[in-house]
């Protein structure tokens, strides 16, 4: 890891053991490391030396990360989303910008994290910015485990959904609809402002935490990344991730680096 070249930015990984679809998933073992440690080490591979902090209220998660030498911050309140948990961590940390890396993004690419950091360094963040990627397959348009979005001509996110609301053919939709990545960032004030309001109806009923930003009328920018990466939401995703770790040349290289 290089020397921190921008102390105004911090990476926070919010993590919990609870979860309806796959409880305890952040501690699932992959190649001898729990998933949360894979994600943390990938975050640390950023080229800017930006620090990585795991925020959790679960002692088991905190102890695992600490045993690997990681930095943690304990959540003292209950949280329904990673955004909210990051907000509590921000009350104790001194960064101007918070890059949120979800704990189930085990295939996160350090170069994608670098792109987000570079964007923050060059343009700042008004309220929030979310990474997006192309869809790989038409079946993803109706896969409700995948959060998707539409972008406007300025690459701002217009709306988010789990099932495509469009009526055009799927061959057209797959170009219009983007996948929402579990990699997003807030300005310190933007995060505070969004969290001052209670959870909103679409956010709650569709289980899309970033929808609160849009429902409250804040601007949600995006950065389009080049590669759609599987995250772990359901038991079936575990096999997809395992296959990627041993078959994708870029993933193989990163895995070797974090297992050193």
């Amino acid at each position: 890891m290089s020397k921190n070249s921008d102390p105004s930015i911090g990476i926070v990984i919010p993590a919990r053991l609870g979860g309806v679809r796959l409880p305890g998933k952040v501690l699932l073992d992959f190649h001898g490391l729990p998933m949360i440690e894979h994600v943390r080490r990938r975050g640390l591979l950023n080229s800017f030396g930006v620090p990585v902090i795991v925020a959790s209220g679960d002692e088991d998660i905190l102890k695992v990360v600490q045993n690997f030498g990681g930095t943690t911050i304990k959540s003292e309140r209950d949280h329904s989303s990673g955004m909210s948990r990051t907000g509590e961590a921000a009350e104790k940390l001194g960064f101007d910008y918070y890059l949120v890396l979800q704990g189930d993004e085990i295939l996160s690419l350090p170069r994608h994290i670098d792109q987000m950091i570079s964007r923050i360094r060059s343009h700042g963040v008004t309220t929030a910015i979310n990474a997006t990627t192309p869809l790989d397959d038409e079946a993803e348009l109706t896969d409700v485990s995948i959060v998707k979005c539409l972008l406007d001509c300025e690459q701002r996110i217009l709306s988010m959904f789990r099932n495509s609301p469009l009526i055009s053919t799927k061959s057209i939709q797959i170009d219009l609809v983007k996948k929402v990545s579990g990699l997003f960032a807030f300005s310190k004030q933007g995060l505070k402002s969004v969290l001052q309001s209670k959870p909103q109806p679409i956010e709650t009923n569709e289980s899309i935490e970033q929808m609160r930003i849009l429902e409250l009328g804040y601007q949600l920018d995006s950065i389009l990344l080049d590669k759609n990466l599987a995250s772990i939401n359901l038991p079936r995703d575990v096999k997809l991730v395992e296959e990627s770790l041993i078959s994708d040349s870029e993933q193989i290289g990163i895995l070797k680096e974090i297992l050193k």
Side-chain angles (χ1 to χ4, degrees), residues 36-65:
I36 187 66
E37 184 61 14
H38 279 266
V39 177
R40 188 184 74 85
R41 293 187 185 191
R42 284 169 181 256
L44 285 172
L45 289 176
N46 76 83
S47 301
F48 299 91
V50 171
V52 178
I53 301 101
V54 174
S56 181
D58 295 297
E59 289 292 343
D60 287 346
I61 293 175
L62 297 173
K63 288 178 181 177
V64 163
V65 174

Side-chain angles (χ1 to χ4, degrees), residues 21-132:
R21 293 177 290 182
L22 189 57
K25 63 181 179 179
V26 297
L27 295 183
L28 288 174
D29 184 274
F30 292 88
H31 295 267
L33 288 179
M35 180 162 68
I36 187 66
E37 184 61 14
H38 279 266
V39 177
R40 188 184 74 85
R41 293 187 185 191
R42 284 169 181 256
L44 285 172
L45 289 176
N46 76 83
S47 301
F48 299 91
V50 171
V52 178
I53 301 101
V54 174
S56 181
D58 295 297
E59 289 292 343
D60 287 346
I61 293 175
L62 297 173
K63 288 178 181 177
V64 163
V65 174
Q66 290 163 3
N67 286 341
F68 283 110
T71 302
T72 64
I73 189 165
K74 184 172 183 180
S75 304
E76 302 296 342
R77 304 192 293 268
D78 292 331
H79 296 281
S80 60
S81 70
M83 179 173 65
S84 174
R85 192 178 302 281
T86 301
E88 182 186 344
E91 294 171 7
K92 306 169 187 177
L93 299 171
F95 303 111
D96 295 324
Y97 301 101
Y98 292 88
L99 182 54
V100 182
L101 176 58
Q102 296 284 33
D104 56 7
E105 295 290 332
I106 184 174
L107 299 180
S108 293
L109 300 177
R111 62 181 177 86
H112 283 174
I113 296 171
D114 281 351
Q115 282 182 255
M116 286 287 285
I117 294 171
S118 294
R119 171 63 181 269
I120 295 169
R121 284 163 56 91
S122 63
H123 292 84
V125 180
T126 302
T127 300
I129 180 171
N130 208 125
T132 58

